[in-house]
């Protein structure tokens, strides 16, 4: 079994080396795909140092968004299982064994890592951000008839065959409700696993904002009602 780790990257020079090392510390046969979404802070020069036999670095020539970076990454995976990893330090790659277990056991085709199911720890931060997340997850669940607790989580794991049946259209954070709607329509087996979460403040580099929440709301309606 080979694991493809797709990491969208935008202006993460302070964290990219550390997260790359953490990913390589997990006990799997790895393929790492880093997609630079036109970073301007020096991240690109660091990424060039990381290229190697098990690491592809792909470059966008304009900033397009997380969804676009993931679309590029998914088009280049060759592993049996694919996991999304953010380039910051909010999500811990040491969670990979637990996230992959339902797929390795033959029980699941897709696994979501939930920040709201009991994990080992969770940094206490923004109430309104959490409330917005829960609202979007609730609305998504109403449309998909799933009972997810964290639709917006970064940690989503797929058997590669599932991704091959999906075309990602959204360029930004609308990717999350889009992929959830499209996975639900495939009638695949979806599991959730509780994860730890070390969220960042906006001063520490968090990028998602209220406008992305509005976009996610539109995408929930778009991909569930009009497709």
């Amino acid at each position: 079994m080979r694991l493809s780790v797709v990491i969208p990257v935008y202006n993460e020079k302070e964290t990219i080396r550390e997260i790359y090392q953490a990913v390589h510390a997990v006990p799997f046969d790895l393929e790492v795909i880093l997609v630079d979404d036109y970073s301007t802070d020096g991240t690109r020069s660091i990424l060039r140092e990381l290229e190697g036999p098990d690491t592809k670095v792909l470059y966008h020539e304009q900033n397009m968004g997380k969804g676009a970076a993931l679309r590029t990454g998914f088009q280049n995976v060759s592993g049996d299982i694919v996991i999304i990893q953010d380039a910051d330090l909010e999500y811990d790659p040491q969670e990979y064994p637990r996230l992959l277990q339902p797929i390795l056991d033959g029980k699941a085709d897709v696994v979501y890592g939930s920040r709201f199911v009991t994990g080992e720890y969770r940094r206490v931060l923004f109430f309104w951000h959490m409330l917005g997340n829960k609202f979007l997850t609730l609305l998504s669940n109403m449309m998909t008839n799933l009972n997810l607790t964290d639709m917006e989580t970064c940690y989503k794991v797929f058997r590669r065959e599932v991704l091959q049946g999906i075309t990602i259209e959204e360029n930004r954070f609308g990717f999350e409700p889009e992929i959830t709607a499209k996975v639900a329509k495939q009638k695949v087996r979806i599991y959730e696993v509780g994860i730890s979460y070390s969220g960042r403040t906006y001063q520490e580099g968090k990028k998602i904002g209220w406008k992305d929440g509005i976009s996610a709301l539109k995408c929930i309606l778009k991909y569930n009602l009009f497709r």
Side-chain angles (χ1 to χ4, degrees):
M1 186 281 296
R2 194 171 202 213
L3 176 65
S4 294
V5 183
V6 179
I7 309 178
V9 185
Y10 177 63
N11 287 351
E12 296 288 2
K13 69 175 183 179
E14 302 299 331
T15 61
I16 188 59
R17 281 195 181 92
E18 186 172 350
I19 197 65
Y20 180 78
Q21 291 168 358
V23 167
H24 272 277
V26 300
F28 294 104
D29 177 20
L30 291 177
E31 168 189 63
V32 180
I33 299 177
L34 295 147
V35 184
D36 182 73
D37 194 32
Y38 201 61
S39 295
T40 57
D41 68 339
T43 298
R44 284 197 161 198
S45 61
I46 298 172
L47 292 177
R48 292 188 187 98
E49 300 172 12
L50 302 180
E51 291 185 75
D54 63 355
T55 303
K56 298 178 186 176
V57 183
L58 307 170
Y59 301 94
H60 284 176
E61 294 311 314
Q62 61 180 344
N63 180 251
M64 299 172 65
K66 181 178 180 178
L70 289 172
R71 180 169 60 242
T72 298
F74 292 161
Q75 290 169 349
N76 287 272
V77 297
S78 63
D80 306 290
I81 300 174
V82 181
I83 187 169
I84 300 168
Q85 172 70 57
D86 280 352
D88 53 36
L89 301 174
E90 292 188 334
Y91 294 84
D92 185 358
Q94 290 300 312
E95 308 272 9
Y96 287 5
R98 290 199 299 138
L99 286 162
L100 268 62
Q101 200 60 52
I103 295 178
L104 297 177
D105 288 345
K107 297 178 179 179
D109 304 299
V110 176
V111 177
Y112 279 46
S114 175
R115 296 164 290 180
F116 304 116
V117 174
T118 303
E120 293 183 4
Y121 56 83
R122 177 172 64 88
R123 184 178 179 182
V124 176
L125 278 174
F126 306 114
F127 169 77
W128 291 109
H129 190 276
M130 177 272 294
L131 192 64
N133 191 318
K134 286 182 177 288
F135 170 74
L136 292 172
T137 298
L138 175 63
L139 184 58
S140 175
N141 285 345
M142 291 170 65
M143 298 291 179
T144 60
N145 198 30
L146 300 176
N147 63 342
L148 293 167
T149 64
D150 192 4
M151 179 268 294
E152 293 279 349
T153 181
C154 158
Y155 272 164
K156 294 178 173 70
V157 191
F158 310 88
R159 288 195 306 107
R160 182 160 55 96
E161 292 82 0
V162 174
L163 285 179
Q164 288 175 334
I166 294 173
T167 299
I168 301 303
E169 301 171 53
E170 293 299 314
N171 284 342
R172 296 187 58 79
F173 292 103
F175 161 82
E176 312 292 359
E178 178 191 1
I179 193 73
T180 302
K182 291 181 175 180
V183 162
K185 289 176 181 178
Q186 286 198 6
K187 305 298 183 184
V188 295
R189 300 166 299 170
I190 304 171
Y191 272 58
E192 273 191 326
V193 172
I195 58 169
S196 55
Y197 179 63
S198 300
R200 296 192 295 183
T201 65
Y202 288 98
Q203 292 76 19
E204 292 168 333
K206 193 172 190 66
K207 297 179 177 70
I208 194 167
W210 66 270
K211 291 182 179 179
D212 296 302
I214 298 298
S215 175
L217 178 60
K218 293 178 180 177
C219 288
I220 290 171
L221 300 175
K222 175 180 178 181
Y223 292 104
N224 286 286
L225 295 181
F226 302 110
R227 292 296 178 87

